[in-house]
Amino acid sequence: MMSKLISCHSDRNTSSFASDGPRLQKLNVRTTEHLIAEILCRLPVKILLRFRCVSKPWCSLIDSPRFVKAHLKRSIECKTKPGIIIKSFVSSSVDFDSLHNNATTAVEIDEPLRTLLYATGDVGSCNGLHCLYNLETDLFLWNPAMRKCRKLPTAPAEFLRPFEFDQSSLCGFGYDAGNDDYKVLRIVQPDVHDLCGSKATIYSLKTNSWKRLQNISGHFIFRGAWGIFMGGALHWITVTPQGSPSILAFDLGVENYREVALPRLQNKIVKDMNIVIFSESLCMLEYFPLIRIDVWAMKDYGVGNSWCKLFSVEQPKVTRCCMSIRPIFYSKSREDVLLEVDSKEVVWYNLKRKRAKTVNIANLPEIFDLEVYPESLVSPDYNISCGGAPQLPSQPQEKKKQQQQQQRNKRDGFLSKGFKLVL
């Protein structure tokens, strides 16, 4: 009798587990997928590029737009160690942690990027992507962490003017979050003293094409060729017809212009001002030549009364004859700030003691631009499909692809027996 009861009890449990088996297996697979994605999302770009070779499912996961966005978001929120690029005729990189040491070395980029990006200048950067230009007015998108670069299609002929050599050409690069698109704006002025009537065109990475915009109708005089990206818009310092300074912003989402409020500055001379991105905020640098530089930050972007003065740098403590000082980032303790001085030196400035200490960087070019950026998996080919907007495949093609993917998933495994990643 006891054996019969045990037998019946065992049979009932066995049948129950057998019926739940596929459901539990499916649940385990999903849980495993989620855990693997969470683990990979915490790894640096360099390691993830290697892990793409583990299997096809891993490669598909790491290349997927969802994973790219999740990895970038985590890197920004957790303040993962950023990359540092030194732009000159030949671009170089410097390890972030080594800047806290007494000496470090700038390492030049390898071929073929070294030749391709020789003598290029920096338009701007966003989410790990850098927009560069050369003397032939070509534009490039470059991800240093992925070692990927791509030349953009040529702009319309009327916009092919050299940058920097005259004051008639403006350019900016940024991200349109609403449309999940990276864009490049080019403006050409008929009159270097007034933006009114200037022509504008915008490049969309999503469509891989240029689009003509309406001419600028407002009267502004600008200072600086490069738009500073923040809050979904590009920013330039300008002067109104009344002679007062202002900030002109171009919103990449609605593709329209607007003005941004200025802080209450003591100095009203436009040539003694500059805008930069510092500590994740839009900042205004107010220069008092041979005396100090005040750094103002818009704590809440778009709110005019959120401007506040972060700190001041006493110019004689840094250099006696500097023309410009640009803050790069805070130290971990926030007691020091890294400064780029006259595009020739990199120094740590202690905000309490008002003392500066030069960072000795071997192989540092005589003239350079130093830029800190979040390392990301955002590709220069981001969202591009066959040179245009993505097209949905027909149902038979989609079904065939799904069958092929299922067959590949059955062949591919990862790490250990019994685990499988199905995308």
Side-chain angles (χ1 to χ4, degrees):
M1 177 67 70
M2 182 65 68
S3 61
K4 290 183 179 180
L5 290 175
I6 294 175
S7 176
C8 294
H9 182 72
S10 300
D11 290 341
R12 285 196 298 271
N13 284 343
T14 302
S15 61
S16 176
F17 283 129
S19 62
D20 290 345
R23 181 174 62 84
L24 292 175
Q25 185 179 9
K26 188 175 182 181
L27 180 62
N28 288 337
V29 170
R30 290 179 179 176
T31 303
T32 304
E33 291 176 14
H34 177 74
L35 289 176
I36 290 177
E38 285 293 319
I39 293 171
L40 293 180
C41 199
R42 287 163 166 76
L43 299 179
V45 172
K46 187 176 181 179
I47 294 179
L48 289 173
L49 295 179
R50 295 176 182 173
F51 280 5
R52 292 177 74 255
C53 302
V54 170
S55 67
K56 290 181 181 179
W58 276 39
C59 183
S60 298
L61 170 65
I62 294 171
D63 290 345
S64 65
R66 184 175 182 179
F67 183 85
V68 171
K69 293 178 183 178
H71 181 268
L72 175 63
K73 181 181 179 181
R74 178 173 176 79
S75 297
I76 294 175
E77 291 178 350
C78 297
K79 301 186 184 300
T80 305
K81 184 174 75 171
I84 298 181
I85 287 294
I86 296 177
K87 285 294 299 168
S88 186
F89 282 96
V90 177
S91 298
S92 306
S93 63
V94 175
D95 182 70
F96 178 81
D97 293 331
S98 67
L99 290 176
H100 295 275
N101 303 330
N102 293 329
T104 185
T105 302
V107 180
E108 295 181 353
I109 61 173
D110 300 328
E111 297 291 359
L113 290 176
R114 178 174 178 175
T115 299
L116 180 63
L117 301 180
Y118 179 78
T120 55
D122 198 7
V123 174
S125 67
C126 177
N127 294 342
L129 270 186
H130 297 246
C131 184
L132 309 175
Y133 70 95
N134 63 15
L135 299 179
E136 286 75 32
T137 71
D138 296 322
L139 291 171
F140 303 85
L141 288 184
W142 174 39
N143 185 324
M146 298 182 69
R147 301 192 75 256
K148 282 189 176 183
C149 183
R150 176 175 170 271
K151 180 181 175 182
L152 299 186
T154 304
E158 56 191 316
F159 292 91
L160 298 182
R161 295 189 188 179
F163 296 109
E164 290 192 330
F165 292 102
D166 58 24
Q167 298 265 314
S168 63
S169 185
L170 290 77
C171 193
F173 169 70
Y175 177 61
D176 174 8
N179 296 302
D180 189 22
D181 195 7
Y182 290 86
K183 297 180 177 180
V184 180
L185 176 69
R186 295 197 64 168
I187 299 174
V188 173
Q189 296 185 106
D191 183 354
V192 298
H193 299 296
D194 196 343
L195 278 173
C196 186
S198 295
K199 300 177 181 179
T201 185
I202 194 166
Y203 168 80
S204 164
L205 184 58
K206 199 170 188 177
T207 63
N208 194 31
S209 62
W210 292 89
K211 180 179 68 174
R212 186 75 160 78
L213 301 177
Q214 292 184 350
N215 291 357
I216 299 176
S217 58
H219 292 271
F220 297 94
I221 301 173
F222 80 96
R223 180 179 181 269
W226 314 118
I228 304 300
F229 177 74
M230 182 68 194
L234 298 168
H235 304 79
W236 285 269
I237 294 180
T238 58
V239 181
T240 64
Q242 293 75 27
S244 59
S246 65
I247 297 178
L248 181 68
F250 177 84
D251 194 303
L252 293 174
V254 297
E255 297 181 351
N256 204 351
Y257 303 91
R258 55 183 168 82
E259 287 190 67
V260 176
L262 282 172
R264 297 179 180 178
L265 304 175
Q266 299 180 29
N267 199 334
K268 300 299 182 182
I269 303 176
V270 176
K271 69 177 182 178
D272 292 332
M273 301 177 189
N274 196 12
I275 49 176
V276 297
I277 301 301
F278 175 75
S279 190
E280 302 177 1
S281 298
L282 181 68
C283 290
M284 172 71 73
L285 307 183
E286 185 180 12
Y287 292 94
F288 297 88
L290 303 178
I291 303 173
R292 73 177 191 277
I293 292 102
D294 292 341
V295 180
W296 295 79
M298 181 179 269
K299 289 294 187 178
D300 188 3
Y301 179 79
V303 179
N305 60 6
S306 68
W307 284 102
C308 65
K309 188 162 72 171
L310 292 182
F311 56 84
S312 297
V313 177
E314 294 185 11
Q315 183 173 324
K317 300 289 185 178
V318 178
T319 180
R320 294 182 179 179
C321 57
C322 74
M323 298 298 293
S324 68
I325 294 176
R326 183 168 66 93
I328 306 298
F329 57 80
Y330 283 115
S331 63
K332 292 182 179 180
S333 64
R334 299 181 73 89
E335 294 180 356
D336 302 273
V337 61
L338 191 73
L339 305 175
E340 179 190 290
V341 181
D342 285 344
S343 298
K344 295 180 180 180
E345 281 187 289
V346 179
V347 304
W348 282 107
Y349 181 78
N350 187 276
L351 298 174
K352 291 182 178 180
R353 294 179 294 175
K354 306 295 183 182
R355 293 180 181 177
K357 181 180 180 181
T358 301
V359 180
N360 296 315
I361 304 177
N363 299 334
L364 189 67
E366 292 185 3
I367 302 294
F368 63 88
D369 289 316
L370 188 148
E371 184 170 356
V372 178
Y373 66 96
E375 292 189 340
S376 76
L377 293 165
V378 179
S379 171
D381 298 319
Y382 185 82
N383 265 346
I384 291 181
S385 175
C386 302
Q391 298 180 353
L392 295 176
S394 61
Q395 290 183 355
Q397 291 177 337
E398 183 66 20
K399 186 175 181 180
K400 184 178 179 181
K401 287 183 178 180
Q402 290 178 356
Q403 292 174 350
Q404 292 175 348
Q405 184 64 42
Q406 290 175 357
Q407 293 176 356
R408 286 195 293 266
N409 291 342
K410 292 179 180 179
R411 294 194 301 265
D412 295 326
F414 65 93
L415 293 182
S416 62
K417 187 176 179 180
F419 291 88
K420 185 171 292 294
L421 178 63
V422 181
L423 297 179

